Each structure stands twice: as C-alpha cells, then as structure tokens.
Amino acid sequence: AETHIGIAKRHVMPVNQDAIFAASVDGDLALLLVSDGVSTADYGSGDIASEFIRAEAFRAWRQIHDARLESTEQRVDFLRQIIARANQSIVDYINEQYAPFSGDPSRIMAATAVLCLVAFGRATFISTGDSPAFLVRDGKIERINRDHSVLTLSLVAGAGLDEILDSGWPEALAACVGTFAIDDTGRLQATPVDIDALEFTLAPN
C-alpha cells in the first residue's frame, strides 16, 4: 500500500491524513480499509479521525473469528459497527477536549472510509465520504462506489447542475465518519453514519 498527501491538499494541511489497514488469512479472509481525514478541521484534526477508524478496524480484525459472517446482512453489519465505534470515538474525543462546544460544527474533525471484507468468496464493501473504490476485471477499471458529496447526492436527487454549483461548496461532504448532534448542554451525541453497501462474488484466483 502507498499513501500520498495530495498535491493540492498539502497546501491546506501539511500532515498526511490517510490511514490504511490490510490483513488477511491465506487470501480467504481479509479486512481492508482506506480512510482520509477531512482537512478543514479546527477542533481535532483529520489524521486523528482517520486513525480512530484504523484502530477500530484493527480491533475488529482481532475479533473476526468470533463474528458471524455467513450472510450479507451480517457482513455489512460487521463493517457498519467499525464505522459506528469510530464515530463514537470522534464524538468522545471532542467532548473530552472541547465540551461544552460552542464553535462551528462543520469545523469538527471527520474522515472518509472505505471498508472491504473478503469472506466466503465474496467482497463486501461499505463507504462514506468521497474516497473511491475500484473493481479491476477483464482489463477494465470501474468505480464501484459514489461520493457522498453535496454535488453527487444533489444530482442523484434530481437537482440541476447550475443550481448546485450556485449554492456554494458543492464538493462539501454530505456524509462521513464524524456525524453527531449537539445537545442543550453543548455536548456531542453520536448519530448514525450514512453509508452505501455493495457485495459481489470474486472472480476465481
């Protein structure tokens, strides 16, 4: 695996905010993660957020032999729980450091995530944010997930391109790990992270 801070992004944030995790047993069982921190944080930072996700992936891998993974629903839930626990870690960190919170909620640290579980000859993906996943097969490369950006989700909902571009910040994330509500005491409360899920059969070898 290789990461790169990004030619444009390094002018905004000089720290590489990527986190990766990859583990496998004989190629039959594997857990893979790519996460990229959101660079516009004033409360916490993107590298901390992406590291929380990596830490939860590592914890899940250590417990994977105790997990029920026979069905698609179970496999998606296994990955969803990694995201949920990482999301809670972000909320706990902000509460410990900044509660009662009175700043701009959009400046709280967050991260994208693409997780893949390989089991029973199937590849199960979940994603949130704008990190891409690709299928390489038969000499073709095809993106298999979508951005959770204002632009993409607005287009899916039927909005016109000019309308979206005129609304401001079309590339802003509409979903990511770092999802919360703020209660009356100024403390963050974790809320469910929007994800997309996909599963397909792997080709032989």
Side-chain angles (χ1 to χ4, degrees):
E2 183 178 357
T3 69
H4 190 283
I5 194 170
I7 293 171
K9 190 172 184 178
R10 65 185 174 193
H11 297 295
V12 179
M13 172 57 64
V15 177
N16 191 337
Q17 298 182 331
D18 299 333
I20 55 175
F21 178 82
S24 67
V25 178
D26 300 326
D28 296 323
L29 181 66
L31 180 63
L32 311 168
L33 163 73
V34 170
S35 178
D36 180 15
V38 177
S39 59
T40 56
D42 293 328
Y43 305 95
S45 62
D47 56 306
I48 297 174
S50 62
E51 176 58 25
F52 279 138
I53 306 172
R54 192 207 66 79
E56 290 301 337
F58 177 67
R59 182 177 291 116
W61 177 254
R62 294 184 65 181
Q63 301 169 350
I64 198 166
H65 292 292
D66 298 324
R68 294 181 60 88
L69 303 173
E70 290 83 6
S71 71
T72 298
E73 182 179 358
Q74 289 169 335
R75 292 188 286 272
V76 169
D77 186 63
F78 174 81
L79 297 175
R80 190 190 300 270
Q81 290 304 314
I82 295 172
I83 295 298
R85 289 192 296 268
N87 192 60
Q88 185 64 56
S89 294
I90 291 173
V91 165
D92 291 343
Y93 179 91
I94 296 299
N95 283 333
E96 290 169 5
Q97 299 292 322
Y98 301 103
F101 184 80
S102 59
D104 181 351
S106 69
R107 308 296 291 188
I108 289 176
M109 67 179 184
T112 71
V114 178
L115 280 155
C116 175
L117 174 67
V118 175
F120 302 102
R122 306 277 288 173
T124 308
F125 284 84
I126 69 168
S127 64
T128 186
D130 60 359
S131 291
F134 300 92
L135 174 65
V136 181
R137 183 179 283 182
D138 297 330
K140 299 177 182 178
I141 301 175
E142 177 185 4
R143 182 165 179 180
I144 59 174
N145 66 339
R146 64 177 178 175
D147 287 349
H148 288 112
S149 65
V150 171
L151 173 61
T152 300
L153 297 185
S154 297
L155 288 172
V156 171
L161 182 58
D162 290 340
E163 174 189 353
I164 300 168
L165 295 177
D166 289 342
S167 66
W169 301 103
E171 297 302 323
L173 293 182
C176 57
V177 187
T179 303
F180 53 85
I182 302 176
D183 66 21
D184 294 338
T185 69
R187 294 184 64 82
L188 275 60
Q189 302 293 330
T191 57
V193 178
D194 289 336
I195 65 150
D196 287 336
L198 170 71
E199 185 176 84
F200 55 85
T201 302
L202 293 169
N205 302 314

